[in-house]
Amino acid sequence: MARAGLSTGRLVAAAADLADEAGFENVTLSALARRFGVKDASLYSHVRNIQDLRTRVALLAGGEMIDRIAAAVAGRTGKDALVAFAGAYREYALRHPGRYAATQVRVDQELAASSPALRRTAEVTYGLLGAYGLTEPDLTDAVRLLRSTFHGYCALEAGGGFGAPRDVRLSWDRAVDALHAALTHWPREAGTGAEAATATATAATATATETETRGDPGSVSGSGA
């Protein structure tokens, strides 16, 4: 029987907080049960198992992250949108390390396809890159470039991986400048006309299905390319 006061939403929110405090890898049913002062068995009325719980945390975090990114890029285009996207991505990753780690988890494709947050991630990301005039397969390549740059930089920064005295924020700004230059002068490979438009629409749909829920400038945190 479900314990009074417990709900799936409360458990998932608490698990996300625990991830930020102790690390996503340390989110367990036992740790969560201790947080609520209940036995482990009490949680199974709300989540199936630890994988179900972690998937729900990933979807929660992905939704939070894309909400922040979408708000940042609203009304912007081109470099202004890219800078806003990048800044919101980095801020969320550094402020919520456990939640961000959750967005890097692969989720079931059927579940990913039904997630509004992941579909919105694809829409925002592809909208950003489409403004640079990119079509498939260049769009997918550009998504992968942004995701690997953003995720790699944030992971290194969070882990203290930058030892040089230069301000890491300045280096981040220069990296975003370089991405803008690359996107503006992208070496075209895609087809043109209806063929490219069809490929782009197909890729955007597939993104919501394939997404590794990480916020590909996703996953950016998540577009899944």
Side-chain angles (χ1 to χ4, degrees):
M1 177 179 294
R3 182 182 177 91
L6 284 183
S7 67
T8 301
R10 284 192 66 200
L11 290 176
V12 173
D17 290 342
L18 178 61
D20 281 342
E21 296 165 11
F24 183 62
E25 70 280 4
N26 293 316
V27 173
T28 65
L29 291 174
S30 294
L32 195 58
R34 288 194 297 272
R35 202 176 187 93
F36 282 95
V38 300
K39 295 183 181 299
D40 293 12
S42 300
L43 305 187
Y44 288 100
S45 297
H46 307 283
V47 294
R48 293 191 302 275
N49 49 43
I50 185 59
Q51 184 59 42
D52 180 39
L53 175 65
R54 289 179 175 175
T55 296
R56 290 176 185 273
V57 172
L59 294 175
L60 170 69
E64 290 177 346
M65 189 170 185
I66 193 56
D67 283 348
R68 287 160 174 74
I69 290 173
V73 303
R76 302 174 185 272
T77 189
K79 185 178 180 181
D80 285 346
L82 177 63
V83 169
F85 189 117
Y89 185 107
R90 177 173 175 264
E91 181 181 8
Y92 189 87
L94 297 180
R95 182 170 295 181
H96 299 288
R99 281 171 160 84
Y100 178 69
T103 69
Q104 306 302 305
V105 175
R106 181 180 292 277
V107 300
D108 177 79
Q109 288 190 0
E110 183 176 345
L111 180 60
S114 66
S115 168
L118 299 185
R119 288 198 300 272
R120 191 178 186 204
T121 297
E123 292 168 359
V124 172
T125 305
Y126 276 79
L128 167 73
L129 296 174
Y132 282 94
L134 299 180
T135 56
E136 289 296 349
D138 297 323
L139 267 174
T140 294
D141 294 340
V143 168
R144 290 172 175 171
L145 174 63
L146 261 64
R147 180 177 171 221
S148 58
T149 301
F150 293 164
H151 176 63
Y153 198 101
C154 290
L156 286 167
E157 183 178 359
F162 295 127
R166 180 167 169 79
D167 188 328
V168 294
R169 177 66 204 220
L170 295 177
S171 293
W172 171 266
D173 291 343
R174 293 296 289 155
V176 175
D177 287 345
L179 287 173
H180 171 66
L183 294 170
T184 302
H185 303 288
W186 195 268
R188 308 291 168 154
E189 180 183 332
T192 58
E195 179 183 348
T198 299
T200 298
T202 300
T205 300
T207 288
T209 304
E210 289 176 12
T211 190
E212 297 143 321
T213 174
R214 26 266 205 190
D216 245 305
S219 269
V220 95
S221 170
S223 86

